[in-house]
Amino acid sequence: MTLLDLLIAPAYAQAAPTQPQGLGLGGMLFPLLIIAVMYFLMIRPQMKRQKEHRAMLDKLGVGDEVLTNGGIAGTVREIGESFVSVEIASGVQVRVQKAAIANVLPKGTLKSA
């Protein structure tokens, strides 16, 4: 025994703990469960909203009152392949992308505002 042994306890090698041989079904169940939860809580509702938005844009017609993503409300005057002309005031029209149309408002909404 040396003086150093009195100050610092000697470290002795220990046997390594044994590892389980395989993950089995329990190890694969948790990641599959996480993927399923993410699909039903995140991916599926987003796909449903995209489908509803696409259907709304397909039904869009001249004279519909719309609200854009930027908050501009107006009446549709012309519909193109990817752009829509929206009249926001008497004689003032702006062109916006179809995808920028957020909602179709009920008829008469702009006159009551």
Side-chain angles (χ1 to χ4, degrees):
M1 183 182 247
T2 66
L3 183 59
L4 188 58
D5 289 340
L6 293 175
L7 298 175
I8 301 174
Y12 298 104
Q14 297 178 357
T18 59
Q19 296 284 332
Q21 291 300 318
L23 293 177
L25 183 61
M28 291 299 294
L29 189 61
F30 184 70
L32 292 176
L33 182 65
I34 294 294
I35 291 170
V37 167
M38 284 180 53
Y39 176 77
F40 282 107
L41 293 180
M42 295 173 60
I43 298 170
R44 191 166 173 248
Q46 179 64 28
M47 290 172 54
K48 184 178 177 184
R49 279 191 297 271
Q50 285 177 347
K51 186 177 178 181
E52 290 171 355
H53 188 256
R54 204 172 311 121
M56 181 215 31
L57 292 178
D58 289 340
K59 293 190 303 186
L60 192 64
V62 175
D64 288 342
E65 296 177 358
V66 295
L67 182 66
T68 66
N69 287 336
I72 298 173
T75 306
V76 175
R77 292 296 175 216
E78 184 181 333
I79 300 175
E81 184 67 29
S82 59
F83 288 93
V84 176
S85 291
V86 178
E87 184 176 30
I88 57 175
S90 181
V92 179
Q93 291 187 3
V94 293
R95 290 187 63 152
V96 296
Q97 287 185 332
K98 268 189 176 180
I101 305 275
N103 290 324
V104 176
L105 303 171
K107 296 280 185 192
T109 303
L110 295 177
K111 290 183 182 180
S112 67

